[in-house]
Amino acid sequence: MLDDAAFRLLRARQRDGFALAREFYGDPAIFERERQRIFARQWLFAGHVSLIPEPGDYFLHRIGGESVIVCRDNDGAVRAFFNVCRHRGSRICLEASGTVASFVCPYHAWAYGLDGALNAARQMPDDFERADYGLYKCHVGVAEGLIFLNLDEDPSVDFAAIGAEVAAVTRPHRFDSARVAARRNYPVEANWKLVIENFNECYHCPSAHPEYRQVNAYVRAVGDGRPEQVRVFEEMDAAWRQRTEAMGHRVDCAVLPPELPDQFHLAYRQVIQTGFDSLTEDGRPAAPLMGELSAFDGGETVVHVGPFFSLSAANDYACLISFEPQDVSTTNMTLTWLVDREAREGEDLDTERMCWMWDVTTRQDQVLIENNQRGLESIRYSPGPYSVLESFTRQFVDWYLRQMR
Ligand code: FES
Ligand code: FE
């Protein structure tokens, strides 16, 4: 792992308001430092509760070289354990998901209960205490059916405040009783920071995302940055806020401090564009109203939990977007679409129309990000300055450097 002195040298070369140096995007020693200082400390989105409805159901969540078993125990609670045997360290679960009565290690068959306790280990010495060798637990936070993990032994930030903010803004959608209508994985051959830098700026939207821009008035305003476009959006958004408040729906605004806290989270709502009920190609809904909503309000609900998770919800569907660093040069983007549990394909649900915007946009981003990675591997790469439209990306980079300090 990169030691403090080596990091300080690299940090000293970093110019304020400029992209990061090449080493940050390819050096395994930096990735190792990130595993300890970032991946192990953030609350990370893993999946929706409907993926594990019954006791014994599990799925694996892989991030930063770790594999975590997320399961439903016999009492119906969501639990998570490091997928590491307490005997000699083998991975225990090898399938990405499944249903088990207990977790049996494929190596020497130590068997663990759904609560992580070691229940069976053959031919151990007399002084062996099974109680000392349960699976290492991972902290779990569940908000509105969204499962978050924290790999730290003792998380510095309690999940309660995050959960409360997510619940306050998204409650009418009833994500907790929703179901997964689609789940797609978009692997990227690039360092995870390029993925997050890209996601958090819309400087590239006018040229790279015509579909995304066509749907979102906000994207036209912040992507183009022209004062008249910004004014058009502000007027549209102000009118929407008045209408939406009159309907009794929330209209929370985005408020981020200039310096992002170690574990930042943010939830807000904004107009899609006049005449649009949903985030679809023509603005018509692709699914029935979610949860307790009784009318379309034409708004989008956005939630960010740290840099690795974002959620975008129209009134009829939500897209959960998760970034999962795998190794220094591979990152998974996982998109999960939630709909009301009563939605039926072919009747009131059109999955392809629902997935269209985020699918086409994410596939475009895959290409952009991989081009970015290849280019900066050149010996002639040198970090360039961020534009005024990349302020959130710049905030992310500042946050990143503070976490790594
Ligand atoms: Fe798991 Fe030996 S490593 S039982
Ligand atoms: Fe993009």
Side-chain angles (χ1 to χ4, degrees), residues 53 115 151 229 290 301:
D115 59 356
L151 310 185
Q229 279 287 18
M290 291 189 82
T301 302

Side-chain angles (χ1 to χ4, degrees), residues 225-244:
R226 285 182 288 124
E228 61 272 25
Q229 279 287 18
V230 173
R231 205 183 50 248
V232 167
F233 173 73
E234 283 172 354
E235 283 169 12
M236 193 187 287
D237 196 56
W240 171 80
R241 283 177 193 281
Q242 251 186 7
R243 274 198 315 275
T244 303

